[in-house]
Amino acid sequence: MGTVLVTATTLNVRQDASATSAVVTQVKRGDQLTLLAEDNGWSHVRLATGEEGWVSSQHVSSGRPRSRKPGCESEYSFLKTPLAAFSENGAHGLVVVDAAVNTKGEVTATKVISNSTGDTALASMAEREIRSATFKPPYRNCVPRAFIFTYKRSF
């Protein structure tokens, strides 16, 4: 199908087309990847090493001319922000959660990336908080795109 260029500083290449799938390797901005297929916001790619995997399509560019129609390009925004629950007692630290957001702006999956609190209940609380959010997805070439949102919650 052609090639794509990585536009993110660092991009996870995953085993399957899912934000919760295992990371096979990482690529860097400017790396050129062979595009094998596209599926619902994900690009199946082959690296120069011959490895294959899936990357979020929002972090690669095909090099095709972008639409010049006004209002067709936008970044994500919150329609409903996460409502933080408060707990004055307990552990303190930072919980980082990756949330997969579909083209309708709905959080479809979450994964705890790190939890310096050591308290699994706080990690679950952070996941519930970001699952309650809704987004206006980013638009590329006049099409809404799925994306990964990283939610950082301090306790």
Side-chain angles (χ1 to χ4, degrees):
M1 286 186 70
T3 60
V4 292
L5 289 176
V6 177
T7 58
T9 304
T10 303
L11 180 60
N12 289 331
V13 179
R14 298 188 179 272
Q15 186 174 353
D16 296 302
S18 166
T20 58
S21 178
V23 175
V24 176
T25 189
Q26 291 184 324
V27 290
K28 305 284 183 211
R29 182 187 318 247
D31 286 354
Q32 187 170 330
L33 311 173
T34 301
L35 180 64
L36 303 174
E38 292 180 294
D39 182 29
N40 197 25
W42 290 89
S43 297
H44 186 204
V45 296
R46 180 179 301 123
L47 286 61
T49 61
E51 287 181 282
E52 290 184 16
W54 291 85
V55 296
S56 174
S57 297
Q58 102 178 55
H59 299 297
V60 293
S61 169
S62 66
R64 292 185 294 238
R66 300 193 109 180
S67 170
R68 299 288 183 217
K69 294 179 187 174
C72 281
E73 304 294 313
S74 68
E75 299 303 318
Y76 79 88
S77 61
F78 280 106
L79 295 176
K80 180 182 168 197
T81 58
L83 182 58
F86 290 97
S87 172
E88 293 192 22
N89 300 326
H92 296 285
L94 181 69
V95 176
V96 179
V97 177
D98 272 356
V101 182
N102 66 17
T103 57
K104 296 176 184 174
E106 304 161 334
V107 176
T108 58
T110 58
K111 181 178 182 181
V112 176
I113 301 303
S114 66
N115 178 4
S116 67
T117 70
D119 186 340
T120 57
L122 292 178
S124 294
M125 182 185 297
E127 284 186 290
R128 278 192 308 275
E129 290 171 3
I130 193 58
R131 280 184 182 273
S132 72
T134 53
F135 295 83
K136 177 181 180 254
Y139 276 71
R140 301 289 180 266
N141 297 322
C142 297
V143 176
R145 301 292 182 174
F147 67 103
I148 306 299
F149 180 79
T150 301
Y151 180 59
K152 296 179 182 179
R153 175 66 157 90
S154 295
F155 288 96

